[in-house]
Amino acid sequence: MVRKLYVEVCNAVDLMPKDGQGSCSPYCVLDYDSQRKKTEVKAKELSPVWNTKYDFLISDPSTMECDVLEINVYSEKKVGKRRPGFLGRVRIPGHCFVKQGEETIVYYALQKRNIFSHTKGELGVKVWYNDEPDEPAPPPPEPAPAADATAAPEAAPAPAEEAKPDAPAAVEATPAPADSPAAPPDGAAPPAPPPEEEKPPEKKEEQVQTILHSCRPSIVHPSDYVLKETRPAIPGTVGEKVATYDLVEKMQYLFVRVVKARNLAAKDVDGSSDPYVKITLGIQGAKTYTVAKSLNPEWNQVFAFGNEGIGGHILEITVWDEDTASKDDFLGSVAFDLNEIPTRVPPDSPLAPQWYRLEETQEGRGVKGSIMLAVWMGTQADEAFTEAWQSDSGGYTTTRSKVYLSPKLWYLRVNVIEAQEVQPFDKMRFPDVIVRAQLGYQIHKTRASHIRSMSPFWNEDLLFVAAEPFEDELKLLVEDRVGPDKHELLGYVKIPLSTIDKIPLSTYDCRRVDYSQVRSRWFNLERNSDGKASFHGRLHLRVCFDGGYHVMDESTNHISCMQPTAKQLWRPSIGVLELGIIRGKDLLPMKTKDGRGTTDAYCVAKYGQKWIRTRTIVDSFNPRWNEPYTWEVYDPCTVLTVGVIDNCQMHAMEKNGSEVKDVRIGKVRIRLSTLESGRVYTNRYPLLMLHQSGVKKMGEIELAVRFSVSSTLNVMQLYFRPLLPRMHYLQPLGVTQSEILRIAAMRIVANRLSRTEPPLRQEVVHYMLDSDFNVWSLRRSKANYCRILNVLSSPIAVVKWFDSICKWKNSLTTILVHLLFLILVWYPELILPTLFLYMSLIGAWQYRFRPRSPPSMDAKLSLAENVEADELDEEFDPIPSTKGIDNVRVRYDRLRIVSGRIQAVLGDLATQGERICALFSWRDPRATAIAIAFCLVVAITLYVVPLRLVAVLLGLYLLRHPRFRDPLPAVPLSFFRRLPSLADRIL
């Protein structure tokens, strides 16, 4: 078998002019494994098209992944020039080569050859490889004339020539039949087998299931998982500025406002009519609601028709009388020529409606009256668009765009101090008393009192999550533990949360923003079984709302807000985040309708306390939303989350009567600290979902993102402040306690948002907040393990480099290291400044390799490409498990929970190492700039200040008395915790 590499140079886009006349004459030079090919020259073309295919012989397939294909783009040299003009180059590593049949065109940004090169544009290339059979040896010569003997070698390569994969998918699918022109003649060597045997069709689920399952996504190649930079026609990138709509493309709509009608004809026997208005525009149509028993109806409805679906040039508006018993009666019509309709551009005032006389048609008789209308052309920036009936999203309530706010969350701290004079049922024993506290579905209990008496003592804090407005009540049950699983209720206390705020502040401070002590109160215990008022003891409590914490409802790695609950502790905003949700591309069908696959997609974005939901684009695999949104930013080290969901609520119930849930399509996370200030990022992000059959690409979403800061200095200062509010460090919460509270907060947010109108459904909120992030997954554990190994690869590389120095693999380098070693031995004060100077130079050198676009979900980093089927079955297996007998199930679930904690620890360790690696990688440009400046200042300072003095001062600082220590994290630690990691890219 011979392996060949095929490269198809398709085209180039927007090349750099090189001939001094605003153009160039480009050609490409391809180099691979000491083999060189050259394309033809395209004269005077900045966007040339070649569509030329070349093949290279791969000498050693086992080392293919280590090879590199290099494509240099040149402009034909001008007269008098010795060298051609350099336009850019593309280097494609061997691990990116795909197998024949999986190739697709990929546009690579042209890279510089050195820092003095000037390049721009992209090169479209297809690269794939194929294993081909060795050419068969020619048959042994037979006694024949010389002419015949010489003709055989020339004819022998013919089958091999025809077997070249000009159409790779077709050639691999079926081998040539025996009677095809490629078949060898009789007596020749038998035909070589095809490169790959034809695989039998797999027995997939679509053979026994509905059309819906036949539309399920299939696993695509990792090359489709990459982020793609786009150039949409948005004003933010072409120099225009239109209010807040400069990050989305303009969409033209025809607006029709139907206000009212007067003096209509009576068509019913009682002298009235039930009028409604029908609007027809080409193949599009809409109608108002029906006004019963009125000749002067009022509708006041607005309709917006997309410009893409307009099929004619006449807008027809007709008025009808609804008749349930027979055909509707015609009441009149008005027609407009689309070429005569005016255009309204905000901030112009709304167009005033006018009265139009109703006209007759051939089917109408006895028409009279007039109708008040306003018709104009506009865009989605029109203020009437939000509440209008929209042709691309329909008139459903659940399809319109909305903005939601998360409820204000508080930590409710209940300090159970003691109880007095409790009345046990068994008077012959001292009770073993515990207190069980319940707030909604949150239940916590104290430990058993170490004092076995009628007045037990605990002094234990119980923490709950409460949301404004306070609707629940806190219930505390005092119980006597009389057996292993048996408790007797000694009394209870009910405290409605709404009444806590009504207690006068002079006697009881119910809300606090710091660690100040609050006053306690005594509450009498009650019993339901008495039937009369009597004393059963009392309970001593401190109850207050802690506003100095940030109530976590998101994962810490993907957090979008770190402000405390109490608004008086908020810092001023440092900038504005703008998001333009432009379009979706190639979404997969998520359900069936009328026997065909369809998708009704909408987007949900979450940042801070603000949630947004775009309108639903009905029945489209390439929806265009073009909706802009803005958020205030208080900290740059936060994450914006955007999800794409399929709306299933237009079909309210399934056939079995159960509630229909919206279906996930995919989501994107963008860390703000990785964005340059003021720059508009326009990219198409892959939407990846992990299913039991593996990772699947569900489509793509195109976004425009801009993060603008008011003061760069203020943003830099935030990197030296603690990440979380002060209370998280003065009175920290445990890891397990934080996770329990986060789950409770997440459930509260999902419950409250599901009660809005229209509701933001619970399954969507849980998906956006990563409700299953800490659930055990062998795949995630392996991914975190690989992240740790990746972090350790740098120290390992240093050790290997030092080993190569010791072995004199490069004599010149070894001699230079010896000289540097001798200098540092004789002048030890140069060690630290040289180290910091070297680190600052490394950071400056890495600037040229900085990321150009925000990161997207990484299937390779998540180990989702080659995951085993049994691992996926375990990951999607719910808790409690459905596998095995009960005893095995309990042990299995316990193991998964413990493993989930280990997984989180591994992830945290990997995060710390990745933050060190991100220090000089320009993932966070502001943090890297700070680090480089710090290293440079330290280097200069250490060159001037004696090393012994620095060592003494540093030692004294590290050994300083606790009185001189701040309980808050140190400045370097706060800076380190703000550095980005790869945690927000894990699926």
Side-chain angles (χ1 to χ4, degrees):
M1 300 294 288
V2 177
R3 177 170 292 185
K4 287 187 177 182
L5 177 70
Y6 294 91
V7 182
E8 182 177 349
V9 183
C10 300
N11 65 321
V13 181
D14 195 22
L15 297 178
M16 175 74 71
K18 286 290 185 179
D19 59 0
Q21 301 177 0
S23 184
C24 63
S25 300
Y27 64 93
C28 299
V29 176
L30 295 79
D31 291 286
Y32 178 77
D33 196 14
S34 302
Q35 305 170 64
R36 173 168 290 186
K37 303 291 177 69
K38 178 182 176 182
T39 67
E40 62 177 335
V41 178
K42 296 292 183 179
K44 303 295 182 181
E45 285 284 346
L46 291 179
S47 297
V49 178
W50 288 285
N51 288 330
T52 308
K53 185 174 65 176
Y54 303 93
D55 61 276
F56 299 88
L57 180 64
I58 301 177
S59 57
D60 188 359
S62 63
T63 62
M64 182 186 69
E65 293 189 356
C66 301
D67 297 335
V68 176
L69 168 67
E70 182 172 327
I71 306 176
N72 290 275
V73 186
Y74 297 98
S75 178
E76 190 177 34
K77 62 182 180 180
K78 298 185 292 185
V79 179
K81 295 288 185 178
R82 291 183 298 175
R83 294 186 302 176
F86 179 73
L87 298 177
R89 71 177 179 183
V90 172
R91 295 173 61 87
I92 306 175
H95 62 80
C96 294
F97 301 163
V98 300
K99 199 171 184 180
Q100 179 176 342
E102 299 176 350
E103 68 275 7
T104 182
I105 184 170
V106 179
Y107 285 89
Y108 298 92
L110 294 175
Q111 303 295 326
K112 298 181 179 180
R113 182 168 52 190
N114 51 55
I115 60 175
F116 302 105
S117 302
H118 296 282
T119 64
K120 72 171 186 176
E122 297 176 339
L123 182 66
V125 181
K126 290 183 181 180
V127 182
W128 71 96
Y129 68 89
N130 187 31
D131 293 326
E132 300 181 353
D134 295 330
E135 294 184 359
E142 298 179 357
D148 296 337
T150 57
E154 295 181 1
E161 285 294 324
E162 293 191 21
K164 284 187 177 181
D166 293 332
V171 171
E172 282 193 1
T174 55
D179 56 351
S180 66
D186 295 337
E196 290 187 3
E197 295 183 1
E198 184 179 4
K199 298 180 180 180
E202 299 179 359
K203 296 181 180 180
K204 298 182 179 179
E205 293 184 358
E206 65 265 24
Q207 299 176 358
V208 294
Q209 296 184 1
T210 60
I211 301 177
L212 173 62
H213 294 281
S214 67
C215 299
R216 289 298 184 191
S218 58
I219 298 179
V220 295
H221 194 269
S223 61
D224 292 335
Y225 298 160
V226 297
L227 184 80
K228 302 173 184 176
E229 188 173 354
T230 60
R231 294 182 175 86
I234 62 176
T237 59
V238 298
E240 299 182 35
K241 185 76 175 178
V242 183
T244 59
Y245 283 76
D246 61 330
L247 289 184
V248 294
E249 297 176 343
K250 291 182 179 179
M251 299 179 65
Q252 296 293 329
Y253 284 90
L254 171 64
F255 290 89
V256 179
R257 181 185 295 275
V258 182
V259 184
K260 56 185 175 180
R262 64 185 179 186
N263 302 328
L264 297 178
K267 295 294 184 178
D268 296 341
V269 294
D270 58 356
S272 64
S273 295
D274 302 323
Y276 68 91
V277 177
K278 185 185 298 184
I279 305 170
T280 305
L281 181 62
I283 60 174
Q284 302 185 59
K287 57 180 291 187
T288 66
Y289 61 87
T290 303
V291 179
K293 306 299 181 182
S294 177
L295 299 180
N296 298 284
E298 291 190 13
W299 296 281
N300 200 24
Q301 288 183 257
V302 182
F303 301 85
F305 295 90
N307 195 31
E308 295 181 350
I310 297 178
H313 63 280
I314 298 297
L315 169 66
E316 185 178 9
I317 301 174
T318 55
V319 185
W320 298 82
D321 169 46
E322 186 177 50
D323 196 339
T324 57
S326 60
K327 185 179 179 181
D328 292 350
D329 298 318
F330 178 76
L331 299 179
S333 68
V334 177
F336 296 88
D337 189 340
L338 295 185
N339 297 323
E340 303 297 329
I341 295 177
T343 300
R344 175 180 176 261
V345 180
D348 291 348
S349 299
L351 194 66
Q354 302 180 37
W355 286 103
Y356 295 89
R357 183 182 298 276
L358 294 174
E359 304 291 341
E360 291 187 358
T361 62
Q362 293 181 355
E363 5 173 299
R365 294 292 184 269
V367 172
K368 68 175 184 176
S370 53
I371 186 172
M372 180 179 282
L373 302 170
V375 183
W376 71 95
M377 298 294 296
T379 66
Q380 75 270 33
D382 199 297
E383 60 265 24
F385 179 76
T386 304
E387 298 300 328
W389 177 95
Q390 299 151 7
S391 59
D392 53 4
S393 62
Y396 302 99
T397 306
T398 58
T399 62
R400 295 183 178 178
S401 58
K402 291 294 178 182
V403 176
Y404 305 85
L405 290 178
S406 293
K408 189 175 183 179
L409 300 178
W410 293 80
Y411 281 147
L412 175 66
R413 186 179 297 273
V414 181
N415 180 222
V416 183
I417 304 174
E418 60 179 330
Q420 287 185 356
E421 303 179 25
V422 295
Q423 307 294 324
F425 293 95
D426 186 358
K427 304 296 183 180
M428 303 302 295
R429 56 179 289 273
F430 288 109
D432 186 9
V433 183
I434 64 171
V435 177
R436 189 187 306 272
Q438 180 175 358
L439 179 64
Y441 47 78
Q442 304 174 68
I443 300 176
H444 300 297
K445 64 179 181 180
T446 65
R447 295 184 295 270
S449 174
H450 62 279
I451 300 177
R452 300 288 293 270
S453 68
M454 302 299 180
S455 298
F457 182 85
W458 298 278
N459 195 25
E460 187 173 342
D461 282 347
L462 304 177
L463 214 57
F464 300 88
V465 179
E468 291 186 358
F470 300 121
E471 301 173 350
D472 299 325
E473 66 177 10
L474 175 65
K475 189 173 183 179
L476 297 104
L477 309 175
V478 181
E479 299 177 342
D480 180 16
R481 188 168 56 184
V482 297
D485 296 320
K486 185 177 180 182
H487 297 79
E488 290 182 347
L489 181 63
L490 303 182
Y492 64 88
V493 173
K494 289 185 178 179
I495 307 175
L497 298 187
S498 58
T499 62
I500 297 179
D501 282 342
K502 298 177 182 179
I503 300 175
L505 296 180
S506 58
T507 60
Y508 185 74
D509 189 7
C510 65
R511 302 193 186 196
R512 65 176 185 177
V513 297
D514 52 19
Y515 192 44
S516 60
Q517 188 74 312
V518 299
R519 298 184 181 181
S520 60
R521 293 184 61 199
W522 287 95
F523 296 85
N524 291 331
L525 297 178
E526 302 177 12
R527 284 185 186 173
N528 293 328
S529 59
D530 289 343
K532 61 179 181 178
S534 59
F535 182 75
H536 303 287
R538 58 180 185 167
L539 191 61
H540 194 193
L541 303 173
R542 285 191 184 95
V543 184
C544 67
F545 294 104
D546 276 346
Y549 291 93
H550 170 70
V551 181
M552 298 281 187
D553 59 347
E554 305 166 289
S555 172
T556 309
N557 295 325
H558 315 140
I559 195 168
S560 64
C561 176
M562 291 171 283
Q563 297 283 57
T565 301
K567 199 162 187 178
Q568 58 266 37
L569 300 180
W570 285 22
R571 297 170 182 158
S573 64
I574 52 97
V576 175
L577 171 65
E578 300 170 84
L579 171 66
I581 303 177
I582 301 177
R583 63 170 64 87
K585 185 177 185 296
D586 298 334
L587 301 183
L588 295 176
M590 306 304 296
K591 55 180 178 288
T592 56
K593 180 181 178 182
D594 300 331
R596 61 183 180 86
T598 182
T599 298
D600 306 321
Y602 67 92
C603 295
V604 176
K606 197 257 185 211
Y607 183 79
Q609 304 302 313
K610 179 179 175 182
W611 299 68
I612 64 96
R613 190 192 71 178
T614 66
R615 68 188 190 279
T616 301
I617 306 300
V618 178
D619 196 11
S620 175
F621 300 138
N622 296 279
R624 296 179 61 202
W625 292 287
N626 283 303
E627 297 185 21
Y629 297 95
T630 60
W631 288 267
E632 283 191 339
V633 178
Y634 296 90
D635 197 299
C637 302
T638 45
V639 176
L640 166 70
T641 304
V642 182
V644 184
I645 312 294
D646 177 50
N647 192 334
C648 300
Q649 302 313 307
M650 291 173 288
H651 312 285
M653 290 288 180
E654 292 182 346
K655 293 181 179 180
N656 57 6
S658 61
E659 184 180 6
V660 176
K661 294 185 177 181
D662 289 351
V663 182
R664 310 170 179 180
I665 299 179
K667 66 181 172 184
V668 175
R669 301 190 194 104
I670 301 175
R671 181 173 287 271
L672 270 60
S673 61
T674 62
L675 306 179
E676 298 178 7
S677 178
R679 177 181 171 184
V680 178
Y681 292 85
T682 53
N683 296 280
R684 202 160 59 230
Y685 298 82
L687 299 173
L688 305 180
M689 281 294 294
L690 191 67
H691 298 271
Q692 288 190 339
S693 57
V695 64
K696 296 178 176 60
K697 182 179 178 182
M698 312 296 289
E700 296 177 327
I701 180 173
E702 187 172 354
L703 303 175
V705 184
R706 177 169 57 201
F707 174 39
S708 305
V709 299
S710 54
S711 172
T712 304
L713 182 60
N714 291 340
V715 177
M716 296 288 192
Q717 290 177 351
L718 283 176
Y719 281 86
F720 303 103
R721 294 180 179 176
L723 191 67
L724 294 171
R726 184 182 181 89
M727 284 291 292
H728 286 270
Y729 306 102
L730 297 181
Q731 193 175 5
L733 306 176
V735 176
T736 304
Q737 184 183 29
S738 298
E739 183 61 21
I740 292 174
L741 293 173
R742 187 186 80 88
I743 294 174
M746 181 177 57
R747 294 181 62 181
I748 291 175
V749 171
N751 184 47
R752 290 292 180 91
L753 293 181
S754 67
R755 289 157 48 184
T756 56
E757 186 58 40
L760 189 60
R761 299 187 58 81
Q762 293 193 25
E763 61 268 19
V764 177
V765 177
H766 284 291
Y767 177 54
M768 297 292 290
L769 295 179
D770 295 307
S771 61
D772 57 348
F773 182 75
N774 285 328
V775 175
W776 160 253
S777 165
L778 184 60
R779 176 189 58 85
R780 284 200 190 108
S781 298
K782 288 182 177 179
N784 290 333
Y785 176 74
C786 293
R787 290 166 59 197
I788 294 177
L789 293 183
N790 189 36
V791 170
L792 296 177
S793 62
S794 297
I796 292 174
V798 173
V799 173
K800 290 182 178 179
W801 172 81
F802 184 73
D803 182 66
S804 66
I805 295 297
C806 296
K807 293 181 179 180
W808 287 76
K809 291 186 177 181
N810 190 322
S811 302
L812 179 60
T813 305
T814 304
I815 293 173
L816 292 176
V817 170
H818 277 74
L819 292 176
L820 179 62
F821 172 71
L822 293 175
I823 292 173
L824 295 179
V825 167
W826 287 107
Y827 301 99
E829 63 272 12
L830 298 181
I831 295 177
L832 288 180
T834 303
L835 178 62
F836 280 99
L837 180 62
Y838 180 68
M839 292 170 63
S840 63
L841 291 177
I842 289 178
W845 176 259
Q846 292 291 334
Y847 178 77
R848 60 181 296 193
F849 306 109
R850 68 193 187 278
R852 305 288 179 168
S853 301
S856 63
M857 297 294 188
D858 196 330
K860 183 176 181 181
L861 179 66
S862 308
L863 296 185
E865 297 176 357
N866 301 314
V867 63
E868 298 292 336
D870 58 336
E871 296 178 7
L872 288 174
D873 183 64
E874 180 183 9
E875 183 169 347
F876 283 92
D877 185 26
I879 296 180
S881 172
T882 59
K883 310 294 182 182
I885 60 177
D886 293 341
N887 192 21
V888 175
R889 183 183 306 159
V890 172
R891 294 198 299 265
Y892 179 57
D893 293 342
R894 186 185 301 117
L895 175 62
R896 292 176 67 186
I897 294 173
V898 173
S899 301
R901 295 175 182 174
I902 298 174
Q903 165 189 307
V905 172
L906 291 176
D908 291 340
L909 292 176
T911 297
Q912 310 312 316
E914 289 164 356
R915 285 171 175 166
I916 296 176
C917 297
L919 195 60
F920 299 104
S921 65
W922 291 96
R923 282 286 294 112
D924 184 345
R926 301 170 190 83
T928 304
I930 293 173
I932 292 175
F934 173 78
C935 292
L936 191 58
V937 170
V938 171
I940 296 173
T941 303
L942 293 178
Y943 274 118
V944 177
V945 181
L947 181 61
R948 292 181 179 86
L949 178 60
V950 173
V952 169
L953 294 177
L954 182 60
L956 292 177
Y957 176 77
L958 295 176
L959 299 174
R960 68 192 185 278
H961 193 273
R963 179 180 299 177
F964 303 103
R965 296 179 185 270
D966 191 352
L968 298 181
V971 169
L973 186 58
S974 297
F975 176 81
F976 177 78
R977 287 176 176 173
R978 290 178 172 276
L979 293 174
S981 69
L982 299 179
D984 50 341
R985 299 174 64 182
I986 295 291
L987 284 175

